[in-house]
Amino acid sequence: MINKLKISSIVPMTLLVLSGCTAVTGQTAGELVDDSTITASVKAKLVGDKAANLTRIEVDTTNQVVTLNGVVESADQKAKAEQLTRQVGGVKSVKNNLQVQKQS
């Protein structure tokens, strides 16, 4: 009885929270999950490329459009980050705002 009571109170609360996400961001819960998944996949791809050292790039995804922000050491790194991002499933487009700044 207690478990049914807990579950029956959790489900409406979850629906309320998820519907609140739509009101605040303009995205449905499914879109938020998809964007979060894309962001995590892009970050993993960037971190996984040991040769390019792309670990300091900020990644944000909205409506399957990925925005890359931060500073890289070369134009090659900027291009590589965009290339890796485009390889992730679900990415519609990439806004590459990375700035090239050579390390001294």
Side-chain angles (χ1 to χ4, degrees):
M1 182 72 173
I2 293 175
N3 286 337
K4 286 183 181 181
L5 183 59
K6 287 181 181 179
I7 292 172
S8 65
S9 63
I10 291 172
V11 171
M13 183 64 95
T14 302
L15 292 174
L16 179 64
V17 168
L18 292 177
S19 65
C21 291
T22 301
V24 173
T25 66
Q27 294 179 290
T28 66
E31 289 170 334
L32 286 173
V33 170
D34 289 345
D35 286 346
S36 296
T37 301
I38 290 170
T39 296
S41 297
V42 169
K43 287 180 179 181
K45 198 118 173 119
L46 296 175
V47 169
D49 191 299
K50 302 295 184 202
N53 189 22
L54 303 171
T55 58
R56 298 183 333 178
I57 295 174
E58 294 177 29
V59 180
D60 183 51
T61 309
T62 304
N63 296 324
Q64 298 175 309
V65 176
V66 179
T67 302
L68 304 175
N69 292 302
V71 178
V72 292
E73 296 177 12
S74 68
D76 287 343
Q77 284 185 337
K78 181 176 179 174
K80 181 68 170 182
E82 184 169 339
Q83 174 193 17
L84 291 170
T85 300
R86 290 186 185 281
Q87 292 174 1
V88 172
V91 173
K92 284 185 182 175
S93 66
V94 178
K95 292 181 182 177
N96 191 339
N97 297 332
L98 295 173
Q99 301 297 311
V100 177
Q101 182 177 12
K102 297 215 183 248
Q103 300 294 331
S104 36

